[in-house]
Amino acid sequence: MTVVAMALSEGVPIFELAAPCAIFGTDRSGSTGGGWYGFRVCGPQDAKVDKWFRAATEYGYDALAAADTVIVPACHDDALNPPADLVDAVRTAYLRGARIASICTGAFVLGAAGILDNRRCTTHWLHAAELARRHPTAEVDPAVLYVDGGQVLTSAGKAAGNDLCLHIVRSDYGAAVANDVARRLVTAPHRDGGQAQYIGSVETVAATDPLGPVLDWAIAHLDQPITVDQLARHAHLGVRTLNRHFHAKVGASPLTWLHQQRVRRAQELLETTDDTIDLIAEKTGFGTSAALRRHFARALATGPDAYRRTFRILPHKTRSAKISG
DNA sequence: CCTATTCCCCGCCATA
DNA sequence: CTTATGGCGGGGAATA
């Protein structure tokens, strides 16, 4: 079992603690067919969390140093100088070969541990300049959600930690499991559009996605019938290889993914227009209302009509009508 | 709901 | 040798 350890420190902001706890700390071995992380919160006894709580941690920084993966959330805001014992523990873990991931200003801990030198990385945009000033050889990119540098991963402010944690799950257990986790958390599996808004390690960048443009193309032509052969041609790949890329990156087969996109668009149209079901079937590329109803019901366990009744966003003029319930 | 036909998918294996 | 590719075929899903 691989151990994921999250660092607490005095005054750590509470927001960033949530994603690692929810993602690594909830057992998903049911989805993976066996394995999951052992999650440990490591820090000083009775550390203050934000301004309102105190944490009784079970593990100290020695456990952090011994972990396979170390998550370092932000340190207390004014003190961009993290505690020395935390820095030491992170450095020890790094030298042992552990994977190190920071959220927000947690990057300053990695910096102090000397592991951002000559490395592409990111942090909260407000503090990017300061990080770059302290570590002149670090290449700080304030414009991305996260940077995957292999052994060392850094993410931007707050919510980007969520993306980073899901990214880690994706690399460890595959896209399907990561999607499943995201779905249970009711977050988007990856941020809008399916294109990667992160910087991968050098090897990853070179080898990554022949797929991105194809996804964009498909979404732009959703209203037309799309075959798997067409997708393959647009990707300059064989059908068999396209299948594999879909499973690796999206976690589903091409047709399944297409259906998901079409259902999603149908939801939008049901919410925001008064189009008939037949028209929506056309606009979403299902072609017939029968096909739309079938896939809609399978995905959402409701029919389009019922969905519209509860989620239609009424234009202002008819807002005064009775509210059904 | 049932049937016929087409399309998709994934393990297997040869190939680069 | 390792890794990515893609053709093939049977069984399953989608569509008409």
Side-chain angles (χ1 to χ4, degrees):
Chain A
M1 176 180 63
T2 81
V3 172
V4 175
M6 180 176 74
L8 284 188
S9 54
E10 188 66 19
V12 56
I14 193 169
F15 190 92
E16 292 133 65
L17 304 181
C21 291
I23 292 172
F24 299 117
T26 308
D27 181 33
R28 315 279 181 187
S29 53
S31 309
T32 63
W36 195 249
Y37 308 99
F39 182 65
R40 292 174 186 176
V41 177
C42 305
Q45 275 306 313
D46 206 33
K48 204 166 175 189
V49 174
D50 231 312
K51 290 179 284 212
W52 305 287
F53 306 98
R54 290 192 169 277
T57 50
E58 209 174 321
Y59 298 97
Y61 285 151
D62 51 333
L64 190 84
D68 302 298
T69 298
V70 174
I71 310 288
V72 186
C75 0
H76 182 243
D77 256 5
D78 320 324
L80 288 175
N81 301 310
D85 49 352
L86 172 58
V87 173
D88 286 341
V90 168
R91 188 188 293 112
T92 304
Y94 173 74
L95 293 175
R96 271 185 43 252
R99 177 171 55 185
I100 315 288
S102 71
I103 300 173
C104 197
T105 54
F108 284 82
V109 179
L110 311 206
I115 64 185
L116 290 184
D117 296 338
N118 303 307
R119 216 177 249 291
R120 184 173 247 190
C121 58
T122 190
T123 185
H124 194 290
W125 56 272
L126 262 176
H127 304 292
E130 173 63 12
L131 186 67
R133 192 189 64 74
R134 287 194 201 184
H135 307 285
T137 66
E139 188 186 335
V140 183
D141 186 341
V144 298
L145 287 176
Y146 56 88
V147 175
D148 177 354
Q151 192 191 347
V152 179
L153 303 90
T154 48
S155 67
K158 312 283 172 188
N162 201 34
D163 298 87
L164 179 62
C165 292
L166 285 172
H167 174 76
I168 290 173
V169 172
R170 195 177 304 121
S171 354
D172 291 347
Y173 289 104
V177 172
N179 286 353
D180 187 54
V181 172
R183 196 167 50 76
R184 287 165 194 261
L185 295 174
V186 200
T187 38
H190 39 61
R191 296 223 190 159
D192 261 336
Q195 83 276 38
Q197 299 183 357
Y198 68 92
I199 302 284
S201 53
V202 189
E203 321 89 286
T204 329
V205 161
T208 252
D209 333 354
L211 209 55
V214 193
L215 301 184
D216 294 340
W217 176 85
I219 286 175
H221 297 82
L222 253 198
D223 55 321
Q224 302 160 30
I226 295 171
T227 66
V228 173
D229 289 270
Q230 281 174 292
L231 291 175
R233 270 196 292 278
H234 275 271
H236 308 290
L237 292 170
V239 173
R240 189 66 188 79
T241 308
L242 183 83
N243 257 290
R244 276 195 281 256
H245 280 268
F246 258 84
H247 279 283
K249 186 174 180 198
V250 178
S253 70
L255 189 64
T256 305
W257 176 82
L258 262 180
H259 286 155
Q260 287 168 1
Q261 303 309 310
R262 296 202 207 274
V263 166
R264 187 184 286 190
R265 181 162 302 177
Q267 286 178 273
E268 270 176 48
L269 292 173
L270 288 165
E271 290 166 17
T272 59
T273 74
D274 287 318
D275 296 348
T276 63
I277 305 297
D278 284 295
L279 218 206
I280 292 176
E282 273 185 46
K283 287 184 175 178
T284 54
F286 281 118
T288 69
S289 58
L292 185 153
R293 287 181 201 283
R294 176 154 27 94
H295 289 103
F296 200 93
R298 183 177 304 172
L300 304 175
T302 347
D305 315 270
Y307 183 88
R308 171 173 270 163
R309 248 175 275 126
T310 64
F311 292 111
R312 175 78 174 96
I313 298 159
L314 293 174
H316 281 84
K317 284 179 182 174
T318 56
R319 193 40 79 75
S320 61
K322 69 166 183 179
I323 295 163
S324 66

